[in-house]
Amino acid sequence: MRKPASMRGLETLGRVRLSKYFYMRDFLMSEIGIIHGIPNIPDHPDLAIEAGSNLCQNLLDPLQETFGAVAVRSGYRAPALNEFGNRNGLNCASNEADRGGHIWDIRDGRGALGACATIVIPWFADRYEAGSHWHDLAWWIHDHLPYSELRFFPKLCAFNLHWSERPKREIRGWIGGNSVLLRQGEEPAEPTETRAKRYADFPVFRGLDLP
């Protein structure tokens, strides 16, 4: 697929179904793009579709199956849009850091295909507001899903969820300061039994292979 150069072309790209629950259009909305007039369109749609499909099928669909609605706060970012956001302090990492992350259609520095979305799980956002700890959801994801990186934020307990064909398995949070819950290549400090107690009252995990 060529980079869309018309409304009809962008409409066609937006209709591409990435998974059971998600379409490409779900990940193209950007407040930066809307306010500053920067198109959020992949330069390499086929690569973006491949990376986004893996993100949705491996991570987002199981989350929606288990917890209900998943709200996408930020998905794909075109390089020009991401660079503008980084240069102007609009919560975007550098293009080099976001390759294979929010920039789905450029492989990361290791040559790995990847994709990231910033999401909110309303079911957990309510629990978080009532006092639940973000570690509870972080460890649930770690123990159930093939994520690459997790980055948690204070508002609504939103988090960056990364998929990569070469996963790092790393967890960080910016809630109450910058903290590292799990570094790449390390094993969790909390044993499996302790982690499981944190999410004992979570819904039963539902992967897409379950009826």
Side-chain angles (χ1 to χ4, degrees):
M1 181 183 293
R2 295 181 179 178
K3 179 179 180 178
S6 67
M7 186 279 289
R8 295 299 183 194
L10 185 57
E11 188 176 57
T12 297
L13 174 62
R15 287 175 175 157
V16 173
R17 191 171 187 175
L18 302 178
S19 67
K20 178 179 178 179
Y21 292 112
F22 296 95
Y23 291 82
M24 190 68 189
R25 191 176 189 273
D26 298 323
F27 301 92
L28 296 180
M29 200 286 284
S30 165
E31 287 90 349
I32 295 173
I34 292 170
I35 293 297
H36 297 283
I38 304 172
N40 193 33
I41 303 173
D43 292 324
H44 309 285
D46 289 337
L47 200 60
I49 290 168
E50 182 181 356
S53 295
N54 276 287
L55 171 69
C56 292
Q57 293 170 22
N58 289 290
L59 301 178
L60 297 182
D61 276 7
L63 284 174
Q64 184 143 321
E65 286 277 348
T66 302
F67 296 104
V70 170
V72 178
R73 292 289 304 120
S74 180
Y76 172 81
R77 295 180 194 155
L81 183 148
N82 191 80
E83 182 181 10
F84 179 91
N86 175 256
R87 193 169 61 245
N88 290 276
L90 300 175
N91 298 323
C92 296
S94 68
N95 278 15
E96 181 64 25
D98 251 340
R99 291 166 51 190
H102 279 292
I103 303 175
W104 297 3
D105 53 338
I106 302 179
R107 294 177 181 271
D108 69 17
R110 306 169 299 163
L113 184 70
C116 169
T118 308
I119 66 170
V120 171
I121 299 177
W123 180 88
F124 188 78
D126 292 340
R127 293 171 68 95
Y128 172 73
E129 185 176 357
S132 291
H133 203 287
W134 66 272
H135 287 188
D136 302 347
L137 180 59
W139 286 132
W140 185 94
I141 293 172
H142 177 82
D143 290 339
H144 291 85
L145 299 177
Y147 74 98
S148 178
E149 299 174 63
L150 293 172
R151 301 286 186 270
F152 283 82
F153 307 105
K155 293 182 180 179
L156 302 175
C157 202
F159 59 99
N160 284 354
L161 179 62
H162 291 243
W163 171 88
S164 174
E165 59 186 2
R166 295 178 61 188
K168 297 178 179 179
R169 303 288 282 180
E170 183 177 272
I171 306 173
R172 295 176 181 264
W174 280 268
I175 300 176
N178 184 355
S179 63
V180 180
L181 185 59
L182 184 67
R183 296 184 187 278
Q184 181 180 354
E186 295 183 352
E187 291 297 321
E190 292 188 15
T192 303
E193 296 79 7
T194 302
R195 299 198 305 270
K197 289 178 181 178
R198 287 182 170 274
Y199 52 76
D201 58 347
F202 278 29
V204 175
F205 173 64
R206 293 186 59 82
L208 295 181
D209 57 338
L210 297 177

